Amino acid sequence: MKRQIKICHLYPEILNLYGDRGNVIALYRRCLWHGLAVHIQPVTVGEAVDFLDTDLVFIGGGQDREQAAIYRDLVEVKGPYLLAAAEQGMAILAVCGGFQLLGKYYRTQHGEIMKGVGLFDAWTEAGRGRLIGDVVLETDLWEEEPRTIVGFENHSGRTFLGEGVKQPLGRVLQGFGNDGASKMEGAVSGNAIGTYLHGSLLPKNPRLADYLIRCGLERRYGPEGSYLTTLNDELEYRAHQAAAQRAVARRC
Amino acid sequence: MLLKGAVRVRFWLALWLGKFLALACRILRKRGSTFPGRIMLRVAPNWLQGVASGPACGNVIVSGTNGKTTTASMMADIMRQAGLRVVHNQSGANLLSGLVTAFAAQLNLLGRMRADIGLLEVDEATVPKAAAELQPRALVVTNFFRDQLDRFGELEHVVACVRRGLPHISSLGRVVLNADDPWVASLGSDSPAQPLYYGIEADTLATMERHAADAKHCLQCGHPYTYRRLYYAHLGDYLCPSCGHGRPKPQVALKAMQRLDGQRQQLVIATPGGEIAFTLGIPGVYNIYNALAAIAGCLALGIDLTTIRDGLESFASCFGRMEEIMIEEKRLVLALVKNPVGFDEVIRTILASRQDGEEQGVLFAVNDLYADGEDISWLWDVDLEMLTPHQELLKGIFSTGLRREDMALRLKYAGFQPERIAVVDEFSAALGQALQVVPSGGTLYILPTYTAMLQIREILFRQGHVSQWQV
């Protein structure tokens, strides 16, 4: 029997900024190459989902008006189910706006507090000026080289991590990161990962993609069922290297 | 030119310096479509203001995300058909420096303007400043798509930029707007000048695909629009079922289209002055929109329908936009790609214009310089999957440019076999290899981002295959 994995893509037609689709394409293709049966379920505003049979969730970012369109549905309707499933080991990747929305709150420029899902012990404050550019991180999520993660960030919110977040996604080697000062980027809570990196994140960071797939498989089959095959990632790493080199070249 | 004191000295200094630098660029065979202007603006920051009243027939601005260059080129052909001499930044250098360079080229050393009309394609973010200085008679807006978010920010910001240009249009002038794009049409209500709307009213062109949509929700009340017809991206006949906000009736409207072959399409267009029918020499629905914008733009300037039709019939293609070049019986097509919607339309057009048995190759050239957008994540929003079923038919697939690996990776994840994709470092090597695998009678499609297009055209120019544009 083929092992299977069920991936839920939240609000794909609304939160689809900066090639967010690329992350889902990468998960889909890699699952197939790993010999898994993969189901992608797009879920939008007003559609019921309890995540009981979901192994991995992806949520991307949107422009302000788009995020406003999904805000209530995510925080009030889907949020509690998402929290419960995350506690039981469901893997999550939340990028940019999705990352902010899964935090505790967002404080707007006018001081208004917008409550978040509260999955990450993190909060975001509107900032002056956007943090835009290439990013290179070093992560502790795995031990094999390369431990770098490459991407591109573009955000005005500054995100701060609380005690409840045990580790960021990585330390910033190039770029701004969560708040432009702490040299930390993203957040990891259990099997949930939040980050500002798009560009697209997973295709050029195959190890991160496989990390998430493994977490998803573990939820369904336990640790002994989460093994993956070795893929030929030569082109992925060439693109990874090229992005890292561009990041350095552009800073000079 | 009523300029005083130091401003006047600076104006002349800038003009002569600009003329000299343009000459130097020509002698050194450099492009020079922005460089003289950059220096001139340093000497005289408001230089444009001093020449705005030069062309006797006034100025026109063309802006929007996609189609600026093609629309402006069509308008230039029509204007020349009408016997007008045109100031035109034809190479697509659409920041202030490009406009200044174009104007300087049409002035002699004594400041006499040789042209009758100014036709300027203007970058969206530059519209407020350009409109304030040029005081245009007409503003033509093509469409608003998501484009280079690292540079422009969110779509609403881009629309707001163009909106800030509206007060500078003479109230006797016109704003020429795409009725089928909710964002563009929304400019009509804020304009002191009367709007002239254009759009498509042909059922045969409608699709039901929705992918890279930007304006799905009503701009007035936030409810999702319903589309009676959808042509591509978010362009179509929309209506908000909640508040009733909908598409204005286009006064210049495509009524029928018939594809004649891979390139040409026969169009029937209704206008306030009657119907015209003509053959457009370039393919694609997006080029129909460009033609509609050009027709409406020229009508707004008072050019008659016969002249418009004759000008468009002779239009071939322009500067890297589905530009055809013959090299030893091989057809080379340069098709600029700069954002997901435009890229998708280029792919659709390539697939639709494929002739039976025609041998094809594709060369992707993706750069990530400032003018291309430094963030290349948009490649993942392009529907490259449309090409995947045809990969066996392609003679060769090449990827070059600063982000050649990213493009190759995108193709791999679209389902291309990685071993079929050749990643080549140098532009000239990539071009050479790609031309080698395409046999005589075949077609090589080159899909470059903006700066990659300039580099490739430069190589083709040095090899004598294309002429350089006039500066």
Side-chain angles (χ1 to χ4, degrees), chain B residues 310-342:
Chain B
D310 293 349
L312 277 175
E313 288 238 298
S314 65
F315 181 83
S317 71
C318 60
F319 204 66
R321 276 79 175 173
M322 283 282 166
E323 185 180 8
E324 272 191 62
I325 299 151
M326 291 303 292
I327 299 181
E328 294 154 10
E329 293 177 23
K330 297 170 188 179
R331 194 167 69 110
L332 204 138
V333 180
L334 261 179
L336 174 73
V337 293
K338 49 177 195 171
N339 49 37
V341 172

Side-chain angles (χ1 to χ4, degrees), chain B residues 135-271:
Chain B
Q135 299 287 316
R137 273 175 71 189
L139 169 68
V140 180
V141 186
T142 57
N143 47 55
F144 289 120
F145 299 124
R146 208 187 273 175
D147 184 28
Q148 299 181 21
L149 289 140
D150 57 317
R151 248 178 83 202
F152 286 119
E154 304 189 344
L155 194 61
E156 261 162 327
H157 171 73
V158 177
V159 180
C161 275
V162 175
R163 201 180 296 272
R164 284 210 302 280
L166 294 174
H168 301 291
I169 305 163
S170 146
S171 55
L172 299 173
R174 300 298 289 264
V175 276
V176 178
L177 302 173
N178 188 341
D180 294 352
D181 182 330
W183 287 107
V184 176
S186 77
L187 296 173
S189 51
D190 296 320
S191 167
Q194 207 191 340
L196 177 65
Y197 292 103
Y198 62 90
I200 294 182
E201 301 214 301
D203 285 322
T204 49
L205 286 171
T207 75
M208 264 358 265
E209 282 173 61
R210 285 309 284 292
H211 173 50
D214 288 308
K216 300 161 286 237
H217 293 93
C218 175
L219 301 178
Q220 310 275 339
C221 75
H223 194 277
Y225 282 123
T226 56
Y227 277 82
R228 214 153 64 80
R229 300 192 204 94
L230 186 67
Y231 302 113
Y232 75 92
H234 61 258
L235 304 191
D237 187 355
Y238 51 90
L239 179 71
C240 174
S242 172
C243 75
H245 171 252
R247 163 194 186 237
K249 180 100 185 131
Q251 292 126 300
V252 175
L254 178 87
K255 292 293 180 191
M257 180 279 262
Q258 196 189 354
R259 201 174 282 140
L260 299 177
D261 55 33
Q263 289 289 309
R264 298 176 307 140
Q265 34 191 350
Q266 174 79 24
L267 307 181
V268 181
I269 291 168
T271 78

Side-chain angles (χ1 to χ4, degrees), chain B residues 42-53:
Chain B
R42 270 206 214 145
V43 178
N46 294 318
W47 189 84
L48 208 49
Q49 220 167 10
V51 291
S53 57

Side-chain angles (χ1 to χ4, degrees), chain A residues 13 198 204 236 246 250, chain B residues 216 368 375 406 412-413:
Chain A
E13 78 308 345
H198 57 265
K204 279 199 291 276
E236 282 80 351
R246 284 301 283 155
R250 268 209 272 250
Chain B
K216 300 161 286 237
D368 66 350
D375 180 0
D406 283 271
K412 177 180 174 182
Y413 279 86

Side-chain angles (χ1 to χ4, degrees), chain A residues 13 16 18-19 21-22 25 29-30 63-65 152 154 198-199 203-204 232 236 242-243 246 250, chain B residues 146 149-150 154-156 211 216-217 368 374-375 377 380-382 403 405-406 409-410 412-414:
Chain A
E13 78 308 345
N16 57 4
Y18 312 123
R21 208 164 74 99
I25 294 172
R29 289 281 171 195
R30 294 188 73 80
Q63 311 188 34
D64 289 345
R65 57 186 267 118
F152 198 96
N154 185 347
H198 57 265
K204 279 199 291 276
N232 178 355
E236 282 80 351
R246 284 301 283 155
R250 268 209 272 250
Chain B
R146 208 187 273 175
L149 289 140
D150 57 317
E154 304 189 344
L155 194 61
E156 261 162 327
H211 173 50
K216 300 161 286 237
H217 293 93
D368 66 350
E374 296 186 352
D375 180 0
S377 63
W380 293 86
D381 287 324
V382 179
R403 298 311 284 265
E405 293 90 0
D406 283 271
L409 194 61
R410 176 69 189 95
K412 177 180 174 182
Y413 279 86

